[in-house]
Amino acid sequence: MNGGKSMYKAVVFFDLDGTLFDNEKNVSDENVAAINELRENNILPIISTGRNIFEIQYVIDATGIDSLVSANGSYVQYQGKKLKAEKISDSVIEEILAFAKQQGDVISFYNNAEFALTAENDLTKVNYRLLRLTPHVDPTFYKTHEVNFLNVFNYDKDKLYQDHFKGKLSLVRNNPRCMDTMNWGVSKQTGIQAMLQKADLGNIPSYAFGDQLNDLQMFSEVDYPIAMGNGHPDVKAKASFVTTANVDHGIVNGLKHYHLIK
């Protein structure tokens, strides 16, 4: 890959929900225009999300962004090509399947292209309706597909799972219905580290927009963390700048503050 210095002047990471998205989970025309202006200014926009690539194809189409840290760092691609993928081993998957079964919890398996559920229940139905996805049930999906990422469906068993799988899996609650589940130590931060290092972007200024607790690790990895006005208080506390809300020109105001766009 070419040296980052000559290619780009800066790099900007965007979280999606509550950040680049409006409240209907779309990217506004204003934000698409801002991303296009970044490109014209030789600044690389990158999506950094808990979601998997196939879930956000409409965002990739709308923005033209093809560099992504997805699945909370489990799958990283640069300019449309895979840079790094974390495979969760079958033995660890079988261990968490057995544990979830004792709890009466459903699990979903993910890679960059597709996903499957161990079963359906009220939580999964609401979740995938909100995400506009149609799930299929295949409890043995992991035996025939690479799995980079899991969701564990429950409301309040964070500590139970985190304690049980310490050293094997990292579990982070990104939404009230389920926990994002990655290989141990994997996060948006490790995904960004891989991106900056492998794509040779480490020697240029880096910025990140985020609003939730899973963005804190991303914030520690960039030069200029920018919190959304609608963000969590802890996220605002760690930001170098707090912009307006996601539905109140937050992205544009943050980019203008740092003179990344006019």
Side-chain angles (χ1 to χ4, degrees):
M1 304 228 181
N2 302 334
K5 198 105 191 169
S6 56
M7 283 179 70
Y8 298 107
K9 286 195 294 204
V11 57
V12 185
F13 293 92
F14 295 99
D15 171 53
L16 291 179
D17 294 279
T19 301
L20 192 63
F21 277 169
D22 61 23
N23 294 341
E24 277 69 58
K25 303 201 184 301
N26 292 311
V27 183
S28 67
D29 293 345
E30 175 186 72
N31 285 352
V32 170
I35 285 163
N36 289 334
E37 193 178 336
L38 283 178
R39 278 201 203 92
E40 285 161 23
N41 295 338
N42 208 23
I43 294 164
L44 178 68
I46 298 177
I47 288 169
S48 178
T49 179
R51 294 173 184 239
N52 296 269
I53 287 178
F54 69 86
E55 298 178 68
I56 54 164
Q57 190 57 52
Y58 73 102
V59 184
I60 296 167
D61 295 342
T63 61
I65 295 176
D66 60 359
S67 298
L68 298 98
V69 174
S70 70
N72 261 355
S74 298
Y75 192 91
V76 181
Q77 75 171 39
Y78 177 62
Q79 295 180 338
K81 296 183 178 66
K82 177 168 92 174
L83 263 192
K84 178 179 182 244
E86 294 282 344
K87 184 182 187 299
I88 302 177
S89 71
D90 288 3
S91 60
V92 170
I93 288 175
E94 281 164 4
E95 193 181 332
I96 197 168
L97 286 177
F99 190 75
K101 195 171 185 178
Q102 292 169 353
Q103 306 301 321
D105 293 343
V106 169
I107 284 184
S108 54
F109 312 102
Y110 287 88
N111 56 40
N112 64 307
E114 57 187 319
F115 76 112
L117 286 170
T118 55
E120 282 197 297
N121 64 14
D122 291 345
L123 284 185
T124 67
K125 284 174 184 158
V126 172
N127 192 64
Y128 291 112
R129 193 165 62 237
L130 288 170
L131 293 175
R132 313 177 200 179
L133 293 172
T134 311
H136 73 278
V137 173
D138 177 5
T140 61
F141 178 88
Y142 70 97
K143 292 181 177 173
T144 51
H145 300 77
E146 180 170 297
V147 174
N148 309 124
F149 179 87
L150 304 166
N151 272 146
V152 180
F153 285 87
N154 59 57
Y155 284 122
D156 53 6
K157 299 176 191 167
D158 305 36
K159 192 164 165 23
L160 186 72
Y161 277 87
Q162 286 162 348
D163 290 350
H164 192 88
F165 289 96
K166 195 175 167 72
K168 291 183 180 176
L169 294 169
S170 289
L171 294 101
V172 180
R173 186 166 296 277
N174 228 347
N175 99 34
R177 293 164 296 278
C178 59
M179 285 183 284
D180 290 357
T181 307
M182 292 75 65
N183 274 334
W184 179 253
V186 171
S187 67
K188 283 188 180 182
Q189 184 174 10
T190 61
I192 287 174
Q193 284 168 349
M195 176 77 82
L196 293 175
Q197 192 185 341
K198 294 188 177 189
D200 201 11
L201 302 165
N203 53 4
I204 54 176
S206 54
Y207 302 79
F209 285 83
D211 68 313
Q212 285 304 322
L213 294 174
N214 70 323
D215 295 319
L216 285 174
Q217 289 177 306
M218 169 168 82
F219 275 17
S220 2
E221 209 48 49
V222 298
D223 302 319
Y224 303 99
I226 303 155
M228 306 305 289
N230 50 289
H232 190 286
D234 293 2
V235 177
K236 291 179 177 176
K238 200 168 177 181
S240 60
F241 179 67
V242 179
T243 184
T244 47
N246 63 317
V247 291
D248 183 25
H249 317 291
I251 295 293
V252 164
N253 289 337
L255 293 172
K256 282 183 174 171
H257 176 79
Y258 286 105
H259 310 291
L260 299 172
I261 62 171
K262 285 207 166 86

